[in-house]
Amino acid sequence: MAKVSVYNMEGSVVGDIELDDSVFGVEINEHIVHRAVVSHLANRRQGTQSAKTRGEVRGGGKKPWRQKGTGHARQGSIRAPQWKGGGVVFAPKPRDYSQKMNKKEKALAMKSVLTSKVQEGKLIVVDDIKMDEIKTKTFRKSLQSLNAEKSLVIIRESDEKVFASAHNLPAVKATTCDSINVYDMLKYGTVVISKAAVEAVQEVYA
């Protein structure tokens, strides 16, 4: 099992923890990780875009001028796409962009990312992530002491003080271990995770 140091909120080493190789030491599957990211982004799309085709635009039932003899190109409707106010060619319509991944694929993608974070030294385990009050400045200072100014902060249970303290930091996102996803782990670079959250993640994915 891999062993990593455990820090406190001041950035000092207070111990170490052994990580389960079945979660933090698997063979990295880049293809599955890519699929997980694409699926996540696709599932975030609303798919509500819509425009009218020439058959849906109101008016245009009368032929604008006779077919021949005017010197103009022939036209059948003022709602054809080449006219101002006309319909849109191949107009976008509401659709579902979501992509499905089975549970084993999702789990493998998550374990692959967690393993890569350990190998790159970008997984920082903290004994307890908590705040006595909502204070962004104090929270930023703690992350600076951990060299994790751009990071995904993972705690076991929802904590409003932690979430609110991290909210105004543009390069930081705080979440619970049951809401983590592959996209955020890659986007924010360093993962700062509480010791309790590590245990919870290992219970889910081991």
Side-chain angles (χ1 to χ4, degrees):
M1 290 187 176
K3 183 180 288 188
V4 297
S5 299
V6 177
Y7 298 84
N8 59 19
M9 291 291 284
E10 288 72 45
S12 301
V13 178
V14 294
D16 53 53
I17 184 174
E18 288 189 347
L19 303 177
D20 192 335
D21 284 342
S22 64
V23 179
F24 294 92
V26 302
E27 183 179 349
I28 298 174
N29 190 320
E30 293 182 1
H31 171 66
I32 291 296
V33 172
H34 177 263
R35 279 199 58 203
V37 172
V38 171
S39 174
H40 176 81
L41 293 175
N43 295 344
R44 286 173 56 179
R45 296 185 69 175
Q46 290 182 314
T48 55
Q49 76 278 31
S50 183
K52 293 181 179 181
T53 62
R54 63 180 293 170
E56 296 169 326
V57 179
R58 184 175 179 178
K62 180 183 178 182
K63 188 175 175 66
W65 51 71
R66 59 194 176 96
Q67 182 82 346
K68 295 179 179 293
T70 64
H72 298 298
R74 55 193 174 188
Q75 301 290 333
S77 169
I78 61 171
R79 293 296 176 251
Q82 71 270 21
W83 285 74
K84 180 180 179 180
V88 177
V89 181
F90 305 128
K93 294 296 178 183
R95 55 170 287 192
D96 181 12
Y97 287 95
S98 63
Q99 299 181 15
K100 293 183 178 180
M101 288 184 69
N102 63 46
K103 290 182 179 179
K104 289 184 178 180
E105 288 177 322
K106 290 180 180 178
L108 178 57
M110 180 60 67
K111 290 190 284 188
S112 293
V113 173
L114 290 169
T115 298
S116 71
K117 294 300 177 186
V118 174
Q119 293 179 356
E120 295 168 4
K122 292 185 177 181
L123 183 81
I124 300 173
V125 181
V126 180
D127 58 348
D128 192 14
I129 300 175
K130 61 181 180 180
M131 297 290 293
D132 296 327
E133 59 178 335
I134 298 174
K135 200 75 172 176
T136 300
K137 185 176 180 180
T138 303
F139 195 71
R140 183 197 291 117
K141 189 175 180 180
S142 295
L143 293 177
Q144 287 174 342
S145 65
L146 294 167
N147 293 320
E149 295 179 52
K150 181 179 181 181
S151 59
L152 178 67
V153 179
I154 305 173
I155 55 180
R156 181 158 190 165
E157 297 177 352
S158 180
D159 186 328
E160 193 59 37
K161 291 180 181 178
V162 173
F163 289 167
S165 297
H167 182 71
N168 286 331
L169 298 174
V172 176
K173 179 178 180 180
T175 186
T176 55
C177 55
D178 57 356
S179 299
I180 56 176
N181 60 73
V182 170
Y183 175 76
D184 282 343
M185 286 198 168
L186 294 174
K187 177 182 177 180
Y188 289 94
T190 302
V191 174
V192 178
I193 183 170
S194 69
K195 192 175 179 180
V198 170
E199 295 169 353
V201 169
Q202 291 183 153
E203 289 174 5
V204 173
Y205 293 103

